[in-house]
Amino acid sequence: QVQLVESGGGLVQAGGSLRLSCAVSGGTFSSYAMGWFRQAPGKEREFVSAISRSGSSIYDAASVKGRFTISRDNAKNTVYLQMNSLRPEDTAVYYCAASGRTYYNTADYNYWGQGTQVTVSS
């Protein structure tokens, strides 16, 4: 019943910026912790950033600290990932996901978006 629809992916030059959005429907958005994950070519899926139900707690992967910012707007049922100072190694399929439990345990993410491609050229 819960559906996540992503937008905002695309091609960008190194050093550029991009903002991803994920709209959630079919559930009570404020009851979910939200996270972003990515999978680069030939690599395992990795955690990027997560935010708690109220937005009071945030955790970022070391590789994106200071460059990416997760946020949520509970009135719009939407979570965002602002990506600045992009690098070629950020190239990946990015997924948003919803957790009905913790924001920090990846096993708690039960609902996933379709994924959106982000390509950073050098």
Side-chain angles (χ1 to χ4, degrees), residues 23-46:
V24 181
S25 61
T28 303
F29 179 70
S30 61
S31 70
Y32 299 113
M34 298 296 299
W36 288 96
F37 299 78
R38 68 186 182 186
Q39 187 168 22
K43 304 294 183 181
E44 300 280 350
R45 185 183 66 190
E46 67 172 334

Side-chain angles (χ1 to χ4, degrees), residues 33-76:
M34 298 296 299
W36 288 96
F37 299 78
R38 68 186 182 186
Q39 187 168 22
K43 304 294 183 181
E44 300 280 350
R45 185 183 66 190
E46 67 172 334
F47 167 79
V48 175
S49 186
I51 188 167
S52 62
R53 294 174 180 83
S54 67
S56 62
S57 298
I58 291 172
Y59 184 76
D60 299 315
S63 60
V64 306
K65 282 184 178 179
R67 299 189 301 120
F68 292 9
T69 303
I70 190 171
S71 63
R72 67 189 297 159
D73 187 339
N74 284 358
K76 295 182 177 180

